[in-house]
Amino acid sequence: SGKYFLMSTLGNSTNIFWHDCAVGKLERQKLLNQQGCVVWITGLSGSGKSTLACSVGRELHSRGKLSYVLDGDNLRHGLNKNLGFKPEERTENIHRVGEVAKLFADAGLICIASLISPYRKDRDACRSMVPDASFIEVFMNMPLEVCELRDPKGLYKLARAGKIKGFTGIDDPYEPPLNCEIEIRQKDGVCPAPCEMAGLVVSHLDEKGYLHAH
């Protein structure tokens, strides 16, 4: 009983071990004929992140490639339902999604994460989780006034009325990426069509070799 007590009081890092399996990432990628990676879509609420994520998923599916979308709102119904929107809770929210995205990428899938993820340090932390530089950051660079005009969930109106506190772009900051792989913005004041935006992302994945195994 003394030995049991000693083990139960030790820190987790001393009695948890990593187990490798015979089938690894390379084998899974060969099976799928693609390379696992994370496509991280960031931007203001209403910038079109979820629309782009679903469009990219459809385009990849049409090409016979396996992907999975991690949508920020959807994850707050399950994995992250106990988290609010304080800075430290936003950080934990992004950390959890980053860990899940890493697992999907290790499984050989193209994981498409769609979240506001307003803080640069949190996005950079997720990038550092994924090996082989297989983290593709997509910045939906849409003006605040466009996002607010769309306001698909009515959240900007609530934030302006003071009914929502800490809303990104209103009374909480959004830190744009400094070195993202893809930036999507308006052309002559017009937002690109979803299929056009998806084409940009999928073309990038193709050029970088993610749509084929090593």
Side-chain angles (χ1 to χ4, degrees), residues 20 81 94 150:
D20 285 316
K81 66 181 178 181
I94 300 307
R150 290 174 178 172

Side-chain angles (χ1 to χ4, degrees), residues 111-123:
C111 183
I112 308 163
S114 168
L115 303 96
I116 294 174
S117 42
Y119 307 139
R120 198 175 293 127
K121 64 177 178 60
D122 296 337
R123 298 192 304 267

Side-chain angles (χ1 to χ4, degrees), residues 10-31:
L10 288 174
N12 286 341
S13 61
T14 64
N15 54 31
I16 293 178
F17 303 92
W18 184 270
H19 294 277
D20 285 316
C21 296
V23 177
K25 184 177 182 181
L26 288 177
E27 287 77 17
R28 292 188 287 271
Q29 290 183 150
K30 288 178 181 178
L31 184 66

Side-chain angles (χ1 to χ4, degrees), residues 6-211:
L6 177 63
M7 285 297 294
S8 67
T9 57
L10 288 174
N12 286 341
S13 61
T14 64
N15 54 31
I16 293 178
F17 303 92
W18 184 270
H19 294 277
D20 285 316
C21 296
V23 177
K25 184 177 182 181
L26 288 177
E27 287 77 17
R28 292 188 287 271
Q29 290 183 150
K30 288 178 181 178
L31 184 66
L32 297 170
N33 190 30
Q34 63 186 55
Q35 294 180 46
C37 64
V38 176
V39 177
W40 192 281
I41 305 173
T42 176
L44 293 170
S45 177
S47 60
K49 299 182 300 300
S50 295
T51 298
L52 175 59
C54 291
S55 297
V56 171
R58 281 195 298 270
E59 177 62 22
L60 289 170
H61 183 78
S62 72
R63 296 187 182 208
K65 303 304 172 184
L66 189 59
S67 66
Y68 195 85
V69 174
L70 296 175
D71 183 85
D73 279 0
N74 291 352
L75 291 170
R76 283 186 175 276
H77 285 84
L79 179 70
N80 294 333
K81 66 181 178 181
N82 65 320
L83 297 175
F85 293 90
K86 295 177 182 178
E88 61 272 19
E89 291 176 302
R90 287 181 183 271
T91 292
E92 176 60 19
N93 179 62
I94 300 307
H95 173 74
R96 291 184 192 179
V97 179
E99 291 285 1
V100 173
K102 178 180 72 174
L103 292 175
F104 273 107
D106 186 61
L109 276 69
I110 298 169
C111 183
I112 308 163
S114 168
L115 303 96
I116 294 174
S117 42
Y119 307 139
R120 198 175 293 127
K121 64 177 178 60
D122 296 337
R123 298 192 304 267
D124 289 345
C126 291
R127 180 186 290 273
S128 69
M129 294 180 190
V130 185
D132 305 321
S134 51
F135 186 96
I136 298 96
E137 189 172 22
V138 182
F139 176 28
M140 294 295 292
N141 189 4
M142 297 296 159
L144 174 62
E145 56 268 24
V146 170
C147 299
E148 193 166 356
L149 186 63
R150 290 174 178 172
D151 203 9
K153 304 167 189 172
L155 299 177
Y156 284 101
K157 289 185 178 66
L158 293 173
R160 290 292 188 188
K163 296 179 180 178
I164 296 179
K165 301 296 183 183
F167 191 76
T168 302
I170 304 299
D171 57 349
D172 203 68
Y174 177 80
E175 300 171 355
L178 299 177
N179 296 293
C180 61
E181 282 71 20
I182 301 172
E183 181 177 353
I184 297 177
R185 57 197 313 161
Q186 290 181 316
K187 297 178 181 178
D188 300 321
V190 178
C191 299
C195 60
E196 182 182 349
M197 295 189 294
L200 290 172
V201 176
V202 175
S203 292
H204 178 88
L205 293 172
D206 196 8
E207 290 168 7
K208 296 299 181 181
Y210 290 107
L211 304 190

